[in-house]
């Protein structure tokens, strides 16, 4: 047996994976993807909001979690150069505004940020993905959720991560779009019914104390307000319906823009990664299903189609 691998049933339930929004806290998604790979698992479909859409797009493009981690750590380690490039790529209206008002703008082009953050191998269009992906964004004027499953992938992901006050909105198909976390910060409902098991990774963070600074800056207040709203949305969604596996990653000590603390965030997420591995292993061992072969090059074995009665009983007990 390969070190770190767990022997799982040859026939397994299919899995839908939802990756939530949370700014820099979403760097923890990389470890969750590592957990899937270490168990030899591959999601049937992925849904992502904000930073979840970023890493969802990379993984759905066929890039391994190991490569995503290496690229992210390298890109964020060059943060000073990245900051210069982001300032140089600010939107034209902001540049004109700054010619008259002597303040630093917080508005950047999300497409430029995405090009710096994503590996070049990430697909340009949804049609080029190895795993189906659903990207959630917010229609600013209609004040509703928009889910992308086809078309320009980079533009859809840029819209999903366009956090107000930090990034300019993205126009697609006559809609002005921004951060998907404003309407659906943990989009497990978007892939509900698409697979036997739904796994949701929540990186929105819980409440924390004031720390060293009692009064936050204006920008910190604005961004934190968005996170408070997103956390509230997730809590209400979970009251109505819970995914089969829900992982609440403990990244509360980090702020939305703490990308420079990448290694610390990854270290903090190790506990959640271990929890995800345990829950996946337990459910997959206890629930035979109409599913996918464990390894792609193994010949498929005939199985009878039947419902996941044991899975539902297991998850029902866990929720109680």
């Amino acid at each position: 047996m390969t070190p770190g691998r767990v022997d799982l049933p040859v026939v397994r339930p299919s899995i839908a994976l939802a990756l939530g929004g949370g700014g820099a806290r979403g760097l923890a998604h990389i470890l969750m993807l590592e957990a899937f790979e270490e168990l030899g698992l591959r999601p049937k479909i992925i849904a992502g909001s904000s930073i979840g859409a970023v890493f969802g797009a990379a993984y759905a493009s066929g890039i391994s979690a190991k490569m995503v981690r290496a690229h992210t750590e390298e890109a964020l380690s060059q943060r000073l150069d990245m900051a210069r490039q982001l300032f140089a790529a600010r939107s034209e209206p902001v540049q004109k505004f700054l010619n008259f008002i002597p303040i630093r703008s917080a508005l950047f082009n999300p497409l430029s940020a995405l090009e710096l953050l994503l590996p070049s191998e990430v697909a340009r269009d949804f049609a080029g993905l190895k795993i189906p992906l659903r990207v959630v964004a917010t229609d600013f004027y209609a004040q509703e959720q928009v889910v992308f499953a086809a078309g320009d992938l980079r533009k859809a992901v840029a819209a999903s991560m366009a956090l107000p006050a930090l990034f300019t909105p993205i126009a697609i198909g006559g809609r002005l779009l921004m951060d998907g976390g404003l309407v659906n910060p943990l989009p497990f409902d978007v892939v509900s019914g698409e697979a036997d098991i739904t796994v949701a990774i929540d990186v929105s963070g819980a409440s924390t104390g004031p720390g060293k600074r009692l009064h936050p800056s204006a920008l910190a207040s604005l961004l934190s307000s968005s996170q408070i709203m997103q956390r509230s949305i997730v809590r209400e969604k979970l009251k109505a319906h819970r995914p089969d596996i829900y992982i609440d990653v403990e990244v509360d000590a980090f702020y939305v823009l703490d990308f420079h603390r990448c290694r610390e965030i990854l270290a903090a997420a190790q506990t959640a990664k271990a929890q995800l591995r345990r829950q996946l292993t337990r459910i997959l061992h206890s629930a035979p299903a109409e599913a996918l072969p464990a390894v792609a090059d193994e010949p498929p074995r005939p199985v009878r189609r039947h419902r996941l009665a044991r899975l539902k009983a297991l998850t029902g007990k866990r929720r109680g």
Side-chain angles (χ1 to χ4, degrees), residues 3 21 37 57 65 93 97 131 167 177 180 211 220 234 249 258 282 305 315:
E37 287 189 351
F97 178 72
I131 301 172
F167 294 112
L177 302 165
V234 170
V249 187
D258 278 351
R282 183 170 66 245
R305 298 172 64 88
T315 55

Side-chain angles (χ1 to χ4, degrees), residues 260-280:
H260 61 287
R261 300 177 68 185
C262 175
R263 295 182 190 277
E264 295 175 64
I265 293 171
L266 293 177
Q270 285 289 350
T271 301
K273 176 183 176 180
Q275 180 188 1
L276 176 59
R277 281 180 57 108
R278 287 194 302 271
Q279 292 199 31
L280 284 171

